[in-house]
Each structure stands twice: as C-alpha cells, then as structure tokens.
Amino acid sequence: ASQRLEKVPGIGPLTASALVASIGDAKNFDNGRQFAAWLGVIPRQHSSGGKPTLLGMSKRGDAYLRTMLIHGARSVIYRATQRADADSWLVKLTTRRNKNVAAVAMANKTARTVWALLAHGREFKAGYAAA
C-alpha cells in the first residue's frame, strides 16, 4: 500500500509508510473529508442558519502526518510554478492565495486522494479526470 501511495506527487517513502501505519484500514472513514479532518487539514467550520462559515485550519489530529503532507505539498507547489502550465489548478490557486494557504489546500487534496486510493485499492493515475 505504501508503494502505491509513493506515486502520488508530494508523498515520499517516509510519508507513505507513516500514513499506512497510522491509518490501518481506510474504510474506517466514511469519506475523504472525514480522513482529512482526522489529519487536521480541513478548514474549521462554524455554520448556523444555512450560512456556512469556514475558519482557519483545524490543526486537530496527527501533527506529524499533517506536517509531512504540507511539506510535500510545498514541493509540489514549487515544481508546479516552475512549469509553464498556467491552466493548472495549483498555479491558479497560488496566484489567488498565499503559498502557505495553497500548501494546506494541496495537502487537503492529497489526503483525500490517499483515502480514495487506500479505501478502494486503486493505483494513482497522474492524468486522471472524472467523466
């Protein structure tokens, strides 16, 4: 499982083995958002009356895994800004937001991808687009 996770951009051997060891069975989480919340990389939500209010990062959960994912996201952002692909989701995000905010957003996306790969037993495909 950790070898499959290493194919995801921003995840190396240390992060992959730590994720697999900490998670155990990914099917314990109902969806990717619950897994990302367990790691603490989602915005804290304070909503009432149908009006959603998203605050800063929750910072609950496993600090080591969260740190590893955010450092991996920073390296992905660095590589994405070096390329000339201006239509990339990540490049557009870094132009709109601070790089640290973009790193946490990329870590959140990576965490959800990790959950999907582990829960469904699939391989990572770089150019995959949902139909």
Side-chain angles (χ1 to χ4, degrees), residues 7-72:
K7 296 177 184 175
V8 178
I11 295 183
L14 284 175
T15 307
S17 61
L19 282 168
V20 171
S22 296
I23 295 168
D25 186 14
K27 293 183 180 180
N28 291 333
F29 301 99
D30 291 336
N31 52 34
R33 189 181 198 290
Q34 283 187 359
F35 174 64
W38 180 72
L39 288 174
V41 291
I42 61 165
R44 226 177 13 200
Q45 189 171 8
H46 183 73
S47 305
S48 74
K51 182 179 179 184
T53 305
L54 297 177
L55 304 171
M57 187 176 67
S58 67
K59 294 183 190 170
R60 295 186 182 206
D62 194 342
Y64 177 72
L65 291 177
R66 184 175 55 250
T67 303
M68 297 289 279
L69 285 174
I70 290 173
H71 283 312

Side-chain angles (χ1 to χ4, degrees), residues 109-129:
K109 189 173 183 178
T110 304
R112 291 173 187 233
T113 303
V114 164
W115 175 83
L117 293 176
L118 291 177
H120 301 297
R122 296 186 182 153
E123 294 284 330
F124 179 75
K125 296 178 185 171
Y128 182 77

Side-chain angles (χ1 to χ4, degrees), residues 45-116:
Q45 189 171 8
H46 183 73
S47 305
S48 74
K51 182 179 179 184
T53 305
L54 297 177
L55 304 171
M57 187 176 67
S58 67
K59 294 183 190 170
R60 295 186 182 206
D62 194 342
Y64 177 72
L65 291 177
R66 184 175 55 250
T67 303
M68 297 289 279
L69 285 174
I70 290 173
H71 283 312
R74 283 190 182 121
S75 76
V76 171
I77 289 171
Y78 176 73
R79 291 292 177 201
T81 55
Q82 286 183 335
R83 293 190 193 122
D85 186 17
D87 293 332
S88 169
W89 168 83
L90 193 55
V91 172
K92 288 179 183 177
L93 181 65
T94 54
T95 57
R96 287 192 321 259
R97 300 276 185 231
N98 184 353
K99 289 195 178 191
N100 289 330
V101 173
V104 173
M106 186 65 203
N108 185 2
K109 189 173 183 178
T110 304
R112 291 173 187 233
T113 303
V114 164
W115 175 83

